[in-house]
């Protein structure tokens, strides 16, 4: 089983990185092939909105890391995305990446109806938020991040296997019990 981990946190030792790290360890222990990508390390030009990629099935911008990530998504069986909450949504770097990947995530019929290109693949979504629980959910902070990611992946054909939101990380960084929950998520694959 090929697992692709997209880490959308700019902090190499932050909560998202630690959560994804234990998932990666567990996946490797289980014999899975794991590729991990830090989105903040990528060089991805913003989408120009020209829509040429929808007919050409390729981006007209010069090749950069967006095409490399799209190849990794195409080869994975499971996509794990960890994203901190930025204003109730995913970080801009991750949004820019997905904007550039639209032609490789979702096609469309002649009538303009979206057609998923990744049917049969699974995804797991993780988000952290400094807003304390349960307000991170009620005020759609971490919930907003998960919602935005779910929307992209749903139209791309991914089945969301699990989501996990951790609130209040400013005062209570991710610890043992929470990290164990992430290990169990990967074991269920």
């Amino acid at each position: 089983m090929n697992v692709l981990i997209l880490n959308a946190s700019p902090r190499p030792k932050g909560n998202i990185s630690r959560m994804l790290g234990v998932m990666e360890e567990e996946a490797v222990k289980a014999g899975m092939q794991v590729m991990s990508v830090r989105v903040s390390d990528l060089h991805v030009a913003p989408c120009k909105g020209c829509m040429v990629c929808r007919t050409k099935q390729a981006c007209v911008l010069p090749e950069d890391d967006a095409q490399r990530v799209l190849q990794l998504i195409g080869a994975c069986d499971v996509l794990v995305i960890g994203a901190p909450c930025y204003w109730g949504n995913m970080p801009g770097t991750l949004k820019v990446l997905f904007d550039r990947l639209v032609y490789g995530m979702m096609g469309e019929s002649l009538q303009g109806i979206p057609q998923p290109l990744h049917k049969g693949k699974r995804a797991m979504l993780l988000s952290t938020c400094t807003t304390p629980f349960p307000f991170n959910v009620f005020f759609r902070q971490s919930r907003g991040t998960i919602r935005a990611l779910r929307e992209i992946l749903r139209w791309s054909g991914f089945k969301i296997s699990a989501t996990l939101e951790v609130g209040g990380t400013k005062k209570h960084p991710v610890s043992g019990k929470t990290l164990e929950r992430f290990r169990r998520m990967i074991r269920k694959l």
Side-chain angles (χ1 to χ4, degrees), residues 144-168:
T145 304
I146 295 296
R147 181 201 53 76
L149 290 170
R150 187 184 291 271
E151 187 76 5
I152 291 167
L153 296 179
R154 180 178 65 119
W155 288 108
S156 302
F158 284 87
K159 178 183 184 287
I160 308 300
S161 299
T163 63
L164 201 62
E165 302 170 49
V166 181

Side-chain angles (χ1 to χ4, degrees), residues 5-6 10 34 37 40-41 82 93 98 101 106-107 118 123-125 131 139 143 147 159 164 171 177 180 184 187:
I5 297 174
L6 289 182
V34 181
V37 175
S40 62
D41 292 343
T93 52
F98 278 123
L101 302 181
M106 176 187 80
H118 295 277
M124 297 179 166
L125 307 175
T131 305
F139 299 151
R143 182 63 43 95
R147 181 201 53 76
K159 178 183 184 287
L164 201 62
K171 290 190 178 183
K177 278 185 179 182
E180 185 56 34
R184 284 195 307 266
R187 282 186 214 131

